[in-house]
Amino acid sequence: MIVAAVRRAPVLLWSVVLALLVGWPWLRDGLVLAYDMVWVPRWDLTRPDLWGLGSALPRAVPSDAVAAVVSSLVGSTVAQRVALFGGLLLAATGGARLVPRASTAARLAAATLAVWNPYVAERLAIGQWPMVLAYGALLWLTAELRSGRPRLHVVTLAVVGTALTPASGVMGAVVVLVLLARRGAGRLLLATALVTMANAPWWVASLLGSSLPPDPAGVELFALRGQGLLGHLGAALSLGGIWNGEVVDATRGAFPAVLLVVGVWVVAVVGLVARRGSLGPLGVLAATGLVIACAGWLAPGAMERLVEACGPAALLRDGARFLALAAPLLVVGFGRGIDVALGHARRHGLAAVPIVVGLLLPVAALPGLVSGVGGRLEPVTYPASWDEARTVVAASDVPGDLLVLPFAAYRAPEWNGSRPVLDPAGRFFPRPTVVDDRLLVDGTIVRGEDPRAAQVRVALSSDDPPRALADLGIGLVVLDTTAPEADEARTLVVGLERLGGSDLVVLQVPEVAVDRETALPARVLVGAGWSCFTLLLLVGVGGTVRDVGRAMRSSGTRARADESP
């Protein structure tokens, strides 16, 4: 046990170093807001959309609910730091666990590449913190299932970690099915039940919802994008290629960076060729991830027809997300390649060279990941006007939901450094909130899927918007007067009674006709899904705590034995 602890210590310490190199700005007070990363100081646990009972697709289920529950226990700032640093630490330690029999230098190299790659950088920059956490859990899941005797509680906890979003939940299912395909029908059946239960919160909510058909036009807009000299395929093979070019590191695709990326590939190929083993399942995972990632680029027409015929296939539109499935093979190859190089270098007294290469090559290939992804992820504090508006909303006894104007999905407020972020008002206020779910990508609007948001758009364009909003059950309107489109939005709510607020003005819609209620059967079914998720989470955490307790008792027994005469 002591030997194992000593063997793990360098990996743990290096993982902490990597996480701090990326996230040292997060040690400051405030919340990080960027694109899809929306955290609020106080979450309202009674909001139905938090649990998948809203009218929109449950894209943030169960991640938002997990964030809300943890925030209610330790505060939002601490909870967000646990999520961000936790994702990086899981990725680093999971990468090292993929090469358990390799040298310490090789495991450190695998940990480095597992964190320091475009996938992590781009998903962090676009604010997809649940995807980064799920990516780390996916590496742990892969490593555990490849071990001789997988521990059920570790597999369970890792599967729950991958289930934080619908897309990552699908990836977790793929990993389980591929890696257990040869272990008999019994284990495969058990694994299928495990994956189904872990992902129950979002798939149950999806089945019960009445969302609009997804927009096939999103296939091309969200497709894998080439990055400079790397092109499309090079970007994918290096775990990059996100659709939003604004979050891509400026050095990606430049000649020096491409040379360093090629260096990573060379080391990985050497490791995969020289140390043959049971890499077939990892190859299947990598091929699956690459095919999905490249489908929207290579065959957009076929993908569009698939999305039209099968709505859930819209999960595949942002195909670059599925490159997480290719990460284990690349990480294993890189770690083993450093091991091979180390064996040759030692014969010539040059052991330090492959060690330095393993630790620094991935970092040099992507320098923009350091310091909060090149300063993109800086903590900020919500202005006092937001708390003022929240107090007004909480005190109001007007029935109905809340509408945020201007009706647009993203904001770029000055208090957030003018960085784009999904409108925080959608989560900030203590009552169900309707926000626009359409996306503007390269000048093209991707149609939303929330029927309630579509109804609001029609109401706002009617001859009498206040009356139409009342008929839809909208009781309050929050007008962001600092937004560029505020003047236009103000004309839509002329005559509404002002309840309070300064920068965010709270308005009352008179004579609300509808007070929406979720049907009891839907609440029961969604509750059952959450019960499955919670049960598995408790099983995983309980088993982990038990293992830690055993390890501590064993270490204490050994220490006392060493001290006895």
Side-chain angles (χ1 to χ4, degrees), residues 63-253:
S63 58
D64 267 9
V66 171
V69 171
V70 177
S71 295
S72 68
L73 297 175
V74 299
S76 288
T77 300
V78 174
Q80 188 186 50
R81 300 313 186 269
V82 170
L84 292 173
F85 282 116
L88 297 174
L89 291 173
L90 276 178
T93 53
R97 290 197 73 241
L98 285 168
V99 285
R101 297 180 183 84
S103 64
T104 298
R107 289 183 292 117
L108 294 177
T112 303
L113 185 60
V115 168
W116 224 277
N117 61 68
Y119 189 89
V120 172
E122 293 169 5
R123 296 300 151 184
L124 278 176
I126 205 170
Q128 294 178 355
W129 65 268
M131 191 64 67
V132 176
L133 257 176
Y135 163 76
L138 186 143
L139 296 181
W140 268 82
L141 178 62
T142 305
E144 191 66 24
L145 291 177
R146 292 182 72 233
S147 65
R149 298 179 64 183
R151 294 163 292 176
L152 180 59
H153 65 276
V154 175
V155 172
T156 300
L157 195 56
V159 167
V160 169
T162 64
L164 286 173
T165 74
S168 58
V170 171
M171 284 188 271
V174 170
V175 169
V176 169
L177 296 177
V178 168
L179 294 181
L180 290 182
R182 300 179 181 178
R183 296 204 176 192
R187 288 194 178 186
L188 198 57
L189 185 61
L190 175 63
T192 301
L194 176 64
V195 168
T196 303
M197 291 175 64
N199 288 278
W202 66 262
W203 67 256
V204 170
S206 298
L207 291 177
L208 294 174
S210 56
S211 61
L212 300 174
D215 189 352
V219 169
E220 263 193 285
L221 294 171
F222 295 137
L224 180 84
R225 298 200 178 186
Q227 296 176 339
L229 296 176
L230 287 169
H232 288 79
L233 189 57
L237 290 174
S238 59
L239 307 183
I242 194 169
W243 60 270
N244 188 342
E246 294 180 1
V247 303
V248 177
D249 189 300
T251 64
R252 284 281 291 171

Side-chain angles (χ1 to χ4, degrees), residues 12-36:
L12 292 174
L13 290 174
W14 182 241
S15 299
V16 171
V17 170
L18 290 171
L20 288 175
L21 283 174
V22 176
W24 66 264
W26 307 335
L27 299 178
R28 297 195 292 269
D29 192 26
L31 293 169
V32 181
L33 306 176
Y35 286 97
D36 296 346

Side-chain angles (χ1 to χ4, degrees), residues 228-366:
L229 296 176
L230 287 169
H232 288 79
L233 189 57
L237 290 174
S238 59
L239 307 183
I242 194 169
W243 60 270
N244 188 342
E246 294 180 1
V247 303
V248 177
D249 189 300
T251 64
R252 284 281 291 171
F255 185 69
V258 171
L259 283 180
L260 294 169
V261 170
V262 170
V264 171
W265 289 338
V266 169
V267 174
V269 169
V270 168
L272 295 176
V273 172
R275 296 288 180 89
R276 294 186 180 89
S278 56
L279 295 177
L282 294 189
V284 172
L285 290 178
T288 302
L290 287 169
V291 167
I292 295 175
C294 295
W297 158 50
L298 292 174
M303 280 293 294
E304 288 175 359
R305 289 191 292 273
L306 177 62
V307 170
E308 285 180 331
C310 178
L315 274 177
L316 307 180
R317 289 187 302 188
D318 183 4
R321 286 184 298 190
F322 288 82
L323 288 172
L325 294 172
L329 184 66
L330 184 62
V331 169
V332 168
F334 189 73
R336 289 184 175 185
I338 294 298
D339 222 10
V340 171
L342 186 60
H344 290 290
R346 279 174 175 162
R347 301 190 191 101
H348 301 87
L350 299 172
V353 174
I355 294 175
V356 171
V357 169
L359 297 183
L360 297 185
L361 182 57
V363 178
L366 191 62

Side-chain angles (χ1 to χ4, degrees), residues 335-562:
R336 289 184 175 185
I338 294 298
D339 222 10
V340 171
L342 186 60
H344 290 290
R346 279 174 175 162
R347 301 190 191 101
H348 301 87
L350 299 172
V353 174
I355 294 175
V356 171
V357 169
L359 297 183
L360 297 185
L361 182 57
V363 178
L366 191 62
L369 182 53
V370 74
S371 185
V373 196
R376 299 172 187 268
L377 304 180
E378 297 280 344
V380 297
T381 302
Y382 280 88
S385 57
W386 281 69
D387 285 329
E388 181 184 351
R390 191 183 196 281
T391 300
V392 174
V393 170
S396 174
D397 57 0
V398 175
D401 295 343
L402 185 147
L403 171 67
V404 179
L405 295 178
F407 203 54
Y410 283 85
R411 300 278 195 266
E414 290 185 7
W415 54 265
N416 192 41
S418 297
R419 291 183 292 267
V421 61
L422 199 65
D423 188 1
R427 292 169 171 84
F428 194 89
F429 297 103
R431 70 166 62 195
T433 304
V434 183
V435 294
D436 197 359
D437 66 335
R438 297 174 302 174
L439 293 178
L440 182 65
V441 182
D442 291 343
T444 301
I445 294 178
V446 180
R447 187 178 66 234
E449 295 154 15
D450 181 357
R452 193 153 170 75
Q455 292 169 348
V456 165
R457 280 193 294 274
V458 173
L460 291 175
S461 62
S462 68
D463 294 334
D464 187 1
R467 179 70 264 167
L469 292 176
D471 291 341
L472 291 177
I474 301 296
L476 295 176
V477 173
V478 171
L479 174 64
D480 183 357
T481 62
T482 66
E485 308 87 355
D487 289 340
E488 180 182 350
R490 190 179 281 108
T491 63
L492 301 175
V493 289
V494 172
L496 294 187
E497 179 185 351
R498 176 170 177 160
L499 299 182
S502 52
D503 289 344
L504 270 67
V505 178
V506 182
L507 305 167
Q508 175 181 336
V509 179
E511 301 178 7
V512 179
V514 181
D515 192 8
R516 298 175 65 246
E517 285 289 341
T518 304
L520 179 61
R523 295 201 300 270
V524 171
L525 289 173
V526 168
W530 275 102
S531 297
C532 293
F533 179 89
T534 304
L535 175 63
L536 294 182
L537 179 62
L538 293 175
V539 169
V541 171
T544 302
V545 170
R546 182 194 61 206
D547 277 3
V548 171
R550 286 177 177 174
M552 293 177 65
R553 288 194 297 272
S554 177
S555 298
T557 302
R558 288 177 180 271
R560 288 192 296 271
D562 292 339

